[in-house]
Amino acid sequence: MTSGQTETYVLMEMLTKRAVVNVRLALVAHAQRWRLHHAHVILDEDAPLTERAWRYSTAAFLERRLPGPTVAALLRGDEQDIHDLHVVSPGPPSSAFSYRLHGHEEWGQVITPWPRTEWTVSRDTDTPQPGNSLLVGDGPSFLNFDQALSAFLYRLPHDGRASRSDLWRFVLSQRAGWFKQITIRHDLLTAVVDGEALDGAVLELSWAAGNRTHSVVGTGPYTFELPLGLPPDSLLMLRRNDQWLDWRNFPTPTYGRARDASVVWEQPGPELELLLANGEGQHLECKQQVPEGESRKKMLKTIAAFASQDGGTILIGIRDDLQVVGLPEGENVDTQVMKVVNMIRDNVEPAPPYEPRVIDHDGKKVLVVEVAGGGQMYAYRNGQRSDFYVRVGPNTVPARHHEITAGFRQSPTAPML
């Protein structure tokens, strides 16, 4: 992800030039008017839209296709009448945070097949906040505003990431070229390229000791032979001159992070060997079975630490000496997976980005919990307390004050849909 700042007038010009844009608005009743709490704007003029209007006594949620100049005026701070509601917005901010993401990259609960650029404008700290009362009215009923916001924006149950701290979010798809699917075998990488403007594009696979390229002549599959397997820390890039269109990075170890759904791994056999090659460490911890008691607490603290930093993997079914023993055969595998899922849900806040899956190794089943770095701090809930942890080599230790502070500073104040 690349980031920077964009002057607000640039966004206003983009809006003014568009006949229509898709907008989702979350509004809060305040002083006989409707004050903007969050606006999500899709700048693609052909994006699909389902018009919705949920209205309650204290809040309203609207999804509408609006003229670009109307949205520009609202961003500028001009009051607007939208769906029979008089909407007010704070005055124009000087700049917006900008982010450019590659295809299939999750950020703020949004994933798109193609790359996209997003701009966010933070909400002032003195902005009136919505209450926590029940929402009952012309729309689905909700326990509180945050639940309604999560359902309206994502159609998902509420978690901590749905409590938006940004006033505006703009999304513009970049469909010039992207990776539709990447398949990695032990001796071959196949990238299926799609896009609307691929003229002059080049496909490049680079690593520490060299690189190889393909000229892109249109949509379809392109292959790279891997006689020695995929080199560590490889970068697959779709670019035109010095501008990237899409990319994927394959860090070492090849396995051990929550993975991109567009990347298919077809490497039978060596998966556990790759993970266990260097033993337990910064990004790997092993358990012989689904833990209980103090071992359970240690695993949950480690998951919180992985998510708070740059990710890692828990392997369940591996002895301390790194021998593969597999999950206990006396208990259903799905039941053991659900035990882990439930303990993560009940004890790590907010919900961390992770993927549980079961792999078969020589007839023995191993539960792999791949935790992605979440770009913010995640806490292990210890009774009424929330404790923060980091990973130092193979150890999980309490985070120090400056580490917690730094983690919250880089938390996506803007980056959440």
Side-chain angles (χ1 to χ4, degrees), residues 272 276 317-319 321-326 361 364-366:
L272 277 184
L276 296 173
I318 309 294
R319 286 196 325 222
D321 60 3
L322 302 184
Q323 294 301 305
V324 180
V325 296
H361 182 82
K364 299 172 183 176
K365 296 191 180 301
V366 175

Side-chain angles (χ1 to χ4, degrees), residues 14 29 55 99 119 134 145 177 181 201 212 218 239 252 275 282 287 289 297 301 309 312 334 343 375 404 417:
M14 292 173 62
R55 185 168 176 174
Y99 306 84
W119 297 266
L134 285 164
F145 182 91
Q181 182 173 289
R212 278 181 278 165
R239 60 179 173 83
T252 301
L275 282 168
Q282 182 80 18
K287 300 290 182 184
Q289 60 188 11
K297 292 180 181 179
K301 292 174 183 178
Q309 294 175 292
D334 290 340
M343 68 175 69
I404 298 172
L417 173 64

Side-chain angles (χ1 to χ4, degrees), residues 192-255:
V192 179
V193 175
D194 204 346
E196 300 173 355
L198 291 168
D199 291 347
V202 172
L203 189 61
E204 178 184 9
L205 179 65
S206 60
W207 61 98
N211 74 324
R212 278 181 278 165
T213 61
H214 274 307
S215 295
V216 175
V217 296
T219 62
Y222 296 83
T223 61
F224 291 95
E225 293 184 359
L226 305 173
L228 300 177
L230 184 69
D233 291 322
S234 298
L235 176 65
L236 182 65
M237 177 78 67
L238 180 64
R239 60 179 173 83
R240 181 186 294 111
N241 299 324
D242 60 350
Q243 297 294 317
W244 66 265
L245 304 178
D246 202 0
W247 60 271
R248 298 291 189 278
N249 176 232
F250 308 107
T252 301
T254 305
Y255 297 86

Side-chain angles (χ1 to χ4, degrees), residues 306-321:
F306 283 159
S308 296
Q309 294 175 292
D310 57 352
T313 297
I314 305 286
L315 294 179
I316 302 177
I318 309 294
R319 286 196 325 222
D320 288 343
D321 60 3

Side-chain angles (χ1 to χ4, degrees), residues 12-280:
M12 293 180 186
E13 289 179 353
M14 292 173 62
L15 289 166
T16 302
K17 293 177 181 178
R18 282 166 165 75
V20 292
V21 292
N22 292 356
V23 182
R24 281 178 283 173
L25 302 176
L27 309 172
V28 177
H30 179 68
Q32 308 302 315
R33 296 181 297 178
W34 293 93
R35 190 173 183 86
L36 181 66
H37 181 80
H38 175 72
H40 178 80
V41 182
I42 304 293
L43 295 169
D44 306 339
E45 295 185 8
D46 58 349
L49 175 83
T50 301
E51 291 200 347
R52 294 178 292 163
W54 301 349
R55 185 168 176 174
Y56 311 92
S57 60
T58 58
F61 302 87
L62 305 177
E63 183 166 8
R64 286 288 183 270
R65 197 183 306 275
L66 298 177
T70 298
V71 181
L74 194 61
L75 176 62
R76 191 165 52 243
D78 298 341
E79 300 180 8
Q80 299 291 311
D81 290 319
I82 301 173
H83 194 67
D84 297 327
L85 300 179
H86 192 68
V87 180
V88 298
S89 176
S94 60
S95 63
F97 293 98
S98 62
Y99 306 84
R100 190 177 177 205
L101 301 102
H102 65 67
H104 284 274
E105 185 173 1
E106 192 277 338
W107 189 59
Q109 298 195 348
V110 174
I111 299 175
T112 59
W114 40 78
R116 64 192 189 275
T117 301
E118 302 200 4
W119 297 266
T120 54
V121 176
S122 298
R123 186 184 306 113
D124 291 337
T125 55
D126 59 352
T127 300
Q129 296 299 305
N132 291 315
S133 58
L134 285 164
L135 294 184
V136 181
D138 187 12
S141 298
F142 293 98
L143 184 63
N144 53 46
F145 182 91
D146 284 346
Q147 284 195 358
L149 182 65
S150 183
F152 185 75
L153 294 179
Y154 320 115
R155 292 182 171 88
L156 291 173
H158 169 66
D159 66 28
R161 293 183 292 172
S163 300
R164 303 224 47 86
S165 59
D166 51 315
L167 181 66
W168 289 90
R169 181 173 187 168
F170 302 88
V171 180
L172 178 63
S173 298
Q174 308 286 349
R175 295 191 178 93
W178 71 88
F179 295 121
K180 190 172 183 179
Q181 182 173 289
I182 300 166
T183 303
I184 301 172
R185 297 170 48 191
H186 67 282
D187 61 350
L188 190 72
L189 182 151
T190 302
V192 179
V193 175
D194 204 346
E196 300 173 355
L198 291 168
D199 291 347
V202 172
L203 189 61
E204 178 184 9
L205 179 65
S206 60
W207 61 98
N211 74 324
R212 278 181 278 165
T213 61
H214 274 307
S215 295
V216 175
V217 296
T219 62
Y222 296 83
T223 61
F224 291 95
E225 293 184 359
L226 305 173
L228 300 177
L230 184 69
D233 291 322
S234 298
L235 176 65
L236 182 65
M237 177 78 67
L238 180 64
R239 60 179 173 83
R240 181 186 294 111
N241 299 324
D242 60 350
Q243 297 294 317
W244 66 265
L245 304 178
D246 202 0
W247 60 271
R248 298 291 189 278
N249 176 232
F250 308 107
T252 301
T254 305
Y255 297 86
R257 310 289 172 86
R259 291 174 295 168
D260 182 342
S262 67
V263 179
V264 178
W265 296 85
E266 294 182 354
Q267 296 188 12
E271 178 167 3
L272 277 184
E273 282 82 352
L274 285 168
L275 282 168
L276 296 173
N278 297 315
E280 291 186 298

Side-chain angles (χ1 to χ4, degrees), residues 159 296-297 299-301 303-304 337-352 354 379-387:
D159 66 28
R296 174 178 177 271
K297 292 180 181 179
M299 184 187 76
L300 291 166
K301 292 174 183 178
I303 289 173
V337 174
M338 286 308 301
K339 278 186 178 180
V340 173
V341 169
N342 289 335
M343 68 175 69
I344 294 173
R345 180 193 63 195
D346 294 340
N347 295 278
V348 181
E349 294 180 333
Y354 76 99
Y380 167 67
R381 190 170 63 198
N382 184 11
Q384 299 299 315
R385 292 172 45 194
S386 292
D387 296 330

